[in-house]
Every structure is written in structure tokens, then in C-alpha cells.
Amino acid sequence: MPTPITEHTVPWPDADVARFTEQGYWAGAALGTLLREVADRDPGATALADWTGLRLTYGELADRADAAAGRLRDLGIAPGERIIMQLGNSWEFVVLLLACLRAGIVPVMALPAHRRAELTYLAVHAEAVAIAVPDRSRDFDHQRLACDLAADVRAATGAGWRVLVAGDDVEPGSVDLRALCGPPAGRAGFDAPPPSSRDVAVFLLSGGTTGMPKLIARTHDDYAYNARASAEVAGITSESVYLVSLPAGHNFPLACPGILGVLLAGGRVVMLPSPEPVRAFATIAAEGVTHTAVVPAVAGRWLERAAEHGAGQLASLQVVQVGGARLADELAYKVKPVLGARLQQVFGMAEGLLNFTRLDDPSETVCTTQGRPLCPADEIRIVDEQDRDVPDGQAGLLLTRGPYTPRGYYRAAEHNARSFTGDGWFRTGDICLRTPEGNLVVAGRDKDMINRGGEKISAEEIENLVYQLPSVSQVAAVAMPDALLGERVCVYVVPRDGATVTLEEIRAQMESAEVARFKFPERLVVVGELAWTKVGKIDKKALRTDIAGRLEAELAGDA
Ligand code: OOB
């Protein structure tokens, strides 16, 4: 039996629980219950459209979620147990998510790009009992990997492990997810009591500064608030049509407001497998999309495409949220004139805190700041290295506490001691300053991570993998600037005496370690020695400056 989740979570203090409940931030209801209430109010409204042409009304979606909750139970998956979700952006993602929320089964939000290394870690760390995958996607056989993983887990623990597969090619032994998420066979309904609103609803993955991503346990109360309040601040109503084109398991398209916020407001969710502009624009036109969320790299591609081909297909678009990485002010100023929609900057994190520019903010605020906290009960501090508050306008480290920022990572006591202060403030690792109006500007970060187009990559994880090459004496992974993605992974390597190291070898090493491809280094700099700080740590800042300088010199040389 997997360990009960509560053994490894850090609860909010009782006084905060009382305060958040009394102030109405925590509604005291499970997400599945809240979504059923929305469905019962207008069961005939369209809730979901997906790129395969499937459309579901609120009534159909809620009935399928109930039926699927029952089928999960019939498979022997009990409330509180964990299931790894690695589905693409499809209707099955939404039905399975709602079924889990209804049944109290906790989805672990893996990314489609994750491979054996990440999935094995998640399976072990979350003690998952099942995994949901597509049969294949982008030429990768997810089912094969999931079955291998299941065999490994069974061999190691003797536990039964379920593989749920969405697609035409479901192997014997796997569970057909389309059937599981299909319409109810008889009368709809799932009679088990809903989970407590204080229970964990989903596990999100942290951007990660350590070896592997940390798990963030988000409760029904905190995540429902996160989704509901985000919907409000983004102007979502029952008339809104929201396009999901980022990987749906990310907090941003999942609940900021994302799928959950839009469904809680009675709007319509449209699922697309990728944000590729030609298809995204055609979908926006066909579905009358009003809202969407993208990362700056995607915003850049959309702006280019719209500037070249016109924004005629985007007439319905009202709000484009951009977040996940710093949006350059120059790009921000283009959004309204080129896409014809209002920009909303979102500076958020899977750990909780969300900042939004408001729809009625002056253009300068929208284009040059990353907004302000979502909730009046969000607490913000900007401090120096000694945790002393710095004055407004001065950059410092951002700390936060609040009703949807959990007090610790799951099962990570040692790490929590570093990532949280004694009185519960989360150290975001972001360097920010606060304007006199109270908006935050992200000025950098103090965490050892690379933000590749919104995907966070832990430098330590890359370094550990590169160290496995016998030819490597020392390695440091750093962000190198990139016009398209913002940042990419660059590794500095000191080879062992007489040895040579190539980027191809390093990438082959990553390949054989079976980690997600977005983490593969894209540049190697071989050096005789690394830069060190006075306290004997590798001087990453100096290395970042060095690679930026090299790139600039190359560009100048090309011109
Ligand atoms: C979102 O969540 P995560 O958990 O993938 O990454 C969080 C980190 C932040 O700590 C910050 O370093 C960076 O991503 N970030 C931004 C940013 N939004 C996120 N840096 C600069 N400007 C921004 N607008 O990335 C996320 C979660 C919910 C909503 C939006 C983004």
C-alpha cells in the first residue's frame, strides 16, 4: 500500500486555515463537487472541444467524469492513490483529470516530454499505482515505455501497476483509456463521498533546482481558489472560449485560469496539441477563441506570423496571457497592435504565488511589469541575502506566503529547510523589484536553473548526467541567451588530462540516460579551468557572462 499522502505534506498552520476559510478564499468543497455544480446549472452548454472533433457538453463531461471515477475504482485504484498523468492535450486529459478529482485519486502532472528517468523517479517518489499515456506521440512509443516501467515496478515491489492508454493501439494488458473516459453505460453517477477539500487534489512538478523535480501537493481548497480567482482576473465568463496549447499538465494552462478556471466559470475549453501558429490561428478562428495562455517564445512566433500574414483569424481574441519566463518589453508592446488582443502578463509558479497585470492597467504597467499578486492575502517580501527587507524599487529575493502557496514540497524535509523560512515563507529564487504601484518586475534569479522557453531545467541534474562521462573532470551547466527560446542549456567542461569531450558525446549520454530531450545541452565550451567565486563555488554568473560574450562576438563576426 502506498504511504498516505498526509505523512509527507506540510500543512498550513491552523490559524491560517481558519483565516483563509473565514475570508472566503477556501470554499470548503472538493473540485469535483464544484465542477458538478457548474454542470448542473447549464448541462447543455459546450464545455470541451478537442482537435479530433469531439465536443462535450457540461452534462456529458460531468457524466463521463463520474463514470470514469467509477471505472477507476473498479480497477482497484483507491482514493488517495497516485496516478502519473502523461497525456497530451486531448479530451481524455480533461475527463481523466475530472474523474480523479471526483474520486480523490491524485494525478501527478508529468510532461509529455518526460522519459524513463523522470517517470521512474515520479513513480517511486509519489508511489504511483498507475500511469496514463497516449499510445504514441511524435513518433515516441509511450505505451512501450509505460509497460516497461510497470514491469520494473512489479518486479521491484510486487505491486500491481496499471497502464492506461489513450489511442487506437491499446495493447492487451493495458487499460483502454478512451473506453474508461467514454459515456456511462447506464445511469450516470458516482456514489462515493467526495474527498475533503483539505485533501491533496493534484501533484504539480516544481521547476526544479535540484536533481529531479520536487512534487508540490496542491489541495482542493487552494487549487480551486487558484483557478477561480485567476478566471476572475482574466475576465473569464460563461461566454469565454479558452485555448489550451501549452502542455496541459503545467500549472499555467491547468489552473491560471486554464482548464479548471474556465470550467469553474462555465466557459468553453478548446484543446490543441501544440501552439504552432498556423494551426493555432485556424483554431482560434474556427472556435471563436477569446482567451489563451502562451510562453514568451510562443508569443514571439505568433507575433511574427501575424505580422506577416495579418491577424484576420484572431478577431475573436480578447486576452493573451503571457508567462513562464520574462517577456521582453519590446515584444509586450507589440501584442495589442499586432494580435489585436489585450496582453496579460502572468508571473507564476507551480509552488503557488501568481502575479497578474490587470486588464484595466495602463499599457505601460502591462508591458513593463509582471503584475501583482492575485490574492489580497498573498504576502510578499523582497529581501537581501540576510533576509532583510529592501526598499521598493530595489531588486532583491522574492519571498511569499499565502492561501494557495503550500508550506513545503512533498516528501522533501531537507530541501524544505532551505526553500522555506522558519515562519513559512517560500523562497522563490526569483530576483524582483516592486514598483511604487505595487507591481513586480522580474529582474533575474538566484536559482541554479535554466528557463528554456518556459521549461525549467535544473543545472544540477544536467551536471550529474555529464559527470557520468569518464572524460569529464568538471562540468557546469548554465543558461545561454537565445533569441527564440530566451535561454538554452550550455555546458562548460574541463576534460580529464589528455581526454577530449564533444557535444555529441554529451547528448548521447543524455539519450542513454533517457531524460527529456528539452534538457539536452545545446552548446559545449571546453575550458582549462572553471571560474570560481571567493567562497569556492563555481562562478556561474561569470560563465553566463562568458557565453553571452562568445555568442555576441560570433554574431558580430557573422555580420
Ligand atoms: C510557471 O511556473 P513554473 O513552476 O514552471 O516556473 C516558475 C518560475 C518562476 O519562479 C520564475 O522564475 C519563472 O518561472 N517565471 C517568470 C515568469 N513566469 C514564471 N519569470 C519572469 N517572468 C514571468 N512572467 O512558469 C508559471 C506558473 C503559473 C503561471 C504562469 C507561469
Side-chain angles (χ1 to χ4, degrees):
M1 276 295 282
T3 324
I5 287 185
T6 44
E7 278 192 23
H8 295 298
T9 47
V10 186
W12 277 270
D14 289 343
D16 284 353
V17 172
R19 183 163 58 98
F20 299 149
T21 305
E22 188 194 317
Q23 293 174 343
Y25 302 125
W26 289 5
L31 272 158
T33 309
L34 294 170
L35 288 162
R36 174 46 95 173
E37 284 169 12
V38 177
D40 288 345
R41 275 203 294 277
D42 192 0
T46 304
L48 182 65
D50 119 317
W51 51 279
T52 62
L54 187 106
R55 302 177 90 75
L56 295 176
T57 65
Y58 270 90
E60 289 165 338
L61 177 60
D63 286 350
R64 282 183 183 225
D66 274 2
R71 291 167 184 147
L72 289 169
R73 180 179 54 192
D74 295 345
L75 286 174
I77 304 179
E81 291 190 327
R82 281 75 81 183
I83 165 167
I84 298 175
M85 281 262 280
Q86 200 199 18
L87 295 171
N89 291 358
S90 60
W91 67 269
E92 294 95 337
F93 180 103
V94 182
V95 175
L96 183 62
L97 169 69
L98 300 196
C100 288
L101 294 173
R102 175 65 185 87
I105 295 166
V106 185
V108 180
M109 293 297 171
L111 298 177
H114 285 155
R115 293 294 176 258
R116 186 189 296 263
E118 292 90 358
L119 296 177
T120 303
Y121 160 80
L122 292 176
V124 171
H125 196 65
E127 297 172 87
V129 299
I131 183 167
V133 290
D135 51 356
R136 328 178 47 82
S137 113
R138 297 191 182 144
D139 283 336
F140 185 77
D141 191 340
H142 286 276
Q143 180 165 215
R144 182 75 271 122
L145 174 56
C147 290
D148 285 356
L149 216 63
D152 291 350
V153 177
R154 282 189 204 114
T157 66
W161 228 67
R162 298 287 186 174
V163 176
L164 283 51
V165 178
D168 296 325
D169 177 25
V170 181
E171 283 174 20
S174 300
V175 177
D176 182 342
L177 192 60
R178 282 195 190 146
L180 186 132
C181 293
R187 212 167 52 83
F190 178 67
D191 51 17
S196 154
S197 67
R198 303 271 301 280
D199 284 349
V200 174
V202 301
F203 274 121
L204 300 180
L205 306 192
S206 77
T209 52
T210 52
M212 275 283 174
K214 295 274 167 289
L215 294 180
I216 304 157
R218 303 293 302 262
T219 66
H220 286 266
D221 267 330
D222 100 65
Y223 216 41
Y225 173 78
N226 186 113
R228 228 171 352 100
S230 298
E232 209 166 295
V233 92
I236 298 281
T237 68
S238 58
E239 303 294 308
S240 303
V241 181
Y242 176 93
L243 177 69
V244 181
S245 70
L246 299 177
H250 266 294
N251 190 28
F252 191 13
L254 186 59
C256 307
I259 296 170
L260 290 173
V262 172
L263 292 178
L264 286 171
R268 179 181 308 177
V269 171
V270 178
M271 303 290 277
L272 201 59
S274 97
E276 184 277 310
V278 175
R279 198 155 169 210
F281 285 14
T283 304
I284 289 169
E287 296 285 346
V289 169
T290 59
H291 290 68
T292 194
V294 295
V295 291
V298 170
R301 282 162 67 199
W302 284 22
L303 284 167
E304 264 174 37
R305 171 84 199 172
E308 276 170 35
H309 298 270
Q313 290 172 296
L314 308 182
S316 60
L317 208 53
Q318 296 166 10
V319 177
V320 176
Q321 296 183 307
V322 183
R326 180 72 153 87
L327 177 66
D329 295 1
E330 310 86 80
L331 279 190
Y333 275 111
K334 287 188 186 156
V335 170
K336 184 84 208 275
V338 178
L339 301 181
R342 267 183 288 182
L343 167 67
Q344 179 167 60
Q345 295 213 41
V346 187
F347 163 37
M349 52 205 73
E351 286 83 353
L353 178 70
L354 302 172
N355 302 278
F356 294 82
T357 57
R358 304 308 200 256
L359 298 180
D360 56 1
D361 276 344
S363 148
E364 196 192 330
T365 305
V366 171
C367 295
T368 63
T369 82
Q370 281 64 58
R372 50 194 177 279
L374 175 63
C375 182
D378 280 324
E379 295 177 273
I380 291 287
R381 286 179 64 198
I382 298 179
V383 301
D384 65 14
E385 306 267 297
Q386 277 78 47
D387 282 352
R388 290 176 306 216
D389 294 275
V390 303
D392 278 359
Q394 198 170 310
L397 301 159
L398 177 68
L399 311 184
T400 187
R401 281 193 310 206
Y404 58 100
T405 303
R407 293 304 182 97
Y409 292 104
Y410 179 70
R411 212 172 163 182
E414 210 177 294
H415 186 69
N416 286 340
R418 272 174 280 138
S419 296
F420 291 81
T421 67
D423 44 3
W425 294 82
F426 171 56
R427 300 183 187 277
T428 66
D430 291 309
I431 298 176
C432 296
L433 56 86
R434 188 163 33 192
T435 68
E437 294 76 36
N439 291 297
L440 298 178
V441 175
V442 181
R445 64 171 178 262
D446 177 43
K447 47 185 168 188
D448 205 4
M449 160 269 253
I450 296 123
N451 188 340
R452 185 181 185 274
E455 293 296 3
K456 315 303 185 306
I457 302 164
S458 144
E460 185 185 315
E461 181 185 355
I462 305 308
E463 290 158 5
N464 287 340
L465 289 164
V466 176
Y467 267 126
Q468 313 217 329
L469 284 171
S471 51
V472 170
S473 165
Q474 283 169 0
V475 55
V478 293
M480 65 175 172
D482 180 75
L484 210 61
L485 290 173
E487 298 175 8
R488 292 181 194 260
V489 179
C490 168
V491 282
Y492 277 76
V493 169
V494 180
R496 284 196 190 284
D497 281 346
T500 54
V501 184
T502 64
L503 185 60
E504 287 63 41
E505 276 173 73
I506 290 175
R507 292 174 64 91
Q509 169 67 20
M510 310 287 285
E511 183 97 49
S512 69
E514 294 188 61
V515 300
R517 192 160 274 276
F518 68 81
K519 299 176 180 172
F520 286 25
E522 292 175 272
R523 169 105 187 201
L524 165 69
V525 181
V526 177
V527 288
E529 61 181 328
L530 296 174
W532 296 88
T533 65
K534 284 198 201 82
V535 292
K537 288 209 280 188
I538 293 175
D539 189 348
K540 295 245 167 143
K541 200 165 162 218
L543 296 179
R544 283 196 299 270
T545 310
D546 182 74
I547 185 63
R550 285 171 192 255
L551 292 171
E552 246 173 62
E554 284 169 15
L555 264 180
D558 285 346

